[in-house]
Amino acid sequence: MATLLHIDSALARENSVSRAVTASFREAWEAVHPDGTVIHRDLAAEPVPHIDAEVYGTGFVPAEERTAEQQSAAALREQLIRELEEADAILIGAPLYNYAIPSTLKAWLDHVILPGRTSGTENPSAAGTPVTVVSSRGGSYAEGTPQEGNDFAVPYLTHALGTVLGLKAEFIVPELTLARVVPAMSGLIEAADASAASAHEAASSLGRELGGKLAGATV
């Protein structure tokens, strides 16, 4: 059976476009691979701790000399890394907050990017794993718009997930998600709905395709 690692990082539990689109992917994946395993991490509900000096220094302390706090930190980091390494596919909801990714998602990445193991080697331990990223945006950052070039989430994740971790990244980018709640954007509701519909369609298609391949490979 294949394993899908599903990560959501949107603060909102309801009316979140990124959560809705990742749900479309997951539902399609589970429909064609009902025997598969899904590990869901909701980083808004249960955030992983940001790496502080204590956690960072744990890697330089022999296991038998670590404090209880260092042992706990090392165990959590090992768990997060193993979830990454053992996943057959990864799904990440990454809304654009203040032009970048949520801090909770950055904290997760700080834990799983480990030089000499998941990065910084010729063969990173999770290299080649497909990852689908749903990066929703409240406005539009497309070419020719006033905000062109101000989306630092997709470029960062392209580098962190693709170049650093060696994953095969695919991005789905629903835009104008604030059109229904910001009066000044009311004229963009139709475009927002079209963008959301396209994102759901892409997510469902990728979920079915990937889930089907993995189901066939694990029969």
Side-chain angles (χ1 to χ4, degrees):
M1 296 184 293
T3 297
L4 172 68
L5 175 59
H6 175 188
I7 297 170
D8 278 318
S9 61
L11 290 173
R13 303 299 299 278
E14 298 179 359
N15 300 320
S16 165
V17 173
S18 69
R19 286 180 183 271
V21 176
T22 59
S24 288
F25 178 104
R26 177 173 168 174
E27 289 168 5
W29 189 88
E30 291 179 319
V32 296
H33 195 7
D35 295 327
T37 298
V38 177
I39 297 174
H40 185 211
R41 281 199 171 270
D42 187 336
L43 299 180
E46 297 182 10
V48 298
H50 289 272
I51 289 184
D52 57 17
E54 178 110 11
V55 177
Y56 178 77
T58 297
F60 302 98
V61 179
E64 64 275 9
E65 297 179 13
R66 291 172 182 169
T67 65
E69 291 78 10
Q70 289 174 325
Q71 291 174 3
S72 177
L76 173 61
R77 192 172 196 186
E78 177 64 21
Q79 178 183 356
L80 296 173
I81 290 175
R82 287 183 66 85
E83 287 176 357
L84 174 78
E85 293 173 333
E86 295 174 1
D88 297 286
I90 303 167
L91 172 65
I92 299 176
L96 186 69
Y97 288 164
N98 294 322
Y99 309 103
I101 63 173
S103 63
T104 52
L105 181 56
K106 178 61 166 60
W108 177 82
L109 284 165
D110 286 342
H111 280 280
V112 301
I113 295 177
L114 184 60
R117 180 171 171 180
T118 63
S119 69
T121 71
E122 291 185 3
N123 296 296
S125 56
T129 305
V131 54
T132 302
V133 181
V134 178
S135 185
S136 54
R137 305 162 168 176
S140 177
Y141 295 74
E143 183 178 353
T145 66
Q147 292 286 4
E148 178 185 356
N150 291 332
D151 167 18
F152 298 98
V154 171
Y156 170 72
L157 291 173
T158 297
H159 181 74
L161 298 173
T163 305
V164 178
L165 292 173
L167 309 178
K168 293 183 178 179
E170 183 88 25
F171 287 85
I172 298 173
V173 185
E175 293 196 319
L176 304 170
T177 63
L178 293 177
R180 289 186 178 278
V181 296
V182 177
M185 296 178 64
S186 60
L188 298 171
I189 289 177
E190 184 175 347
D193 290 346
S195 182
S198 177
H200 281 285
E201 182 179 355
S204 295
S205 178
L206 281 170
R208 284 192 301 270
E209 179 184 354
L210 189 54
K213 287 180 179 179
L214 292 173
T218 55
V219 170

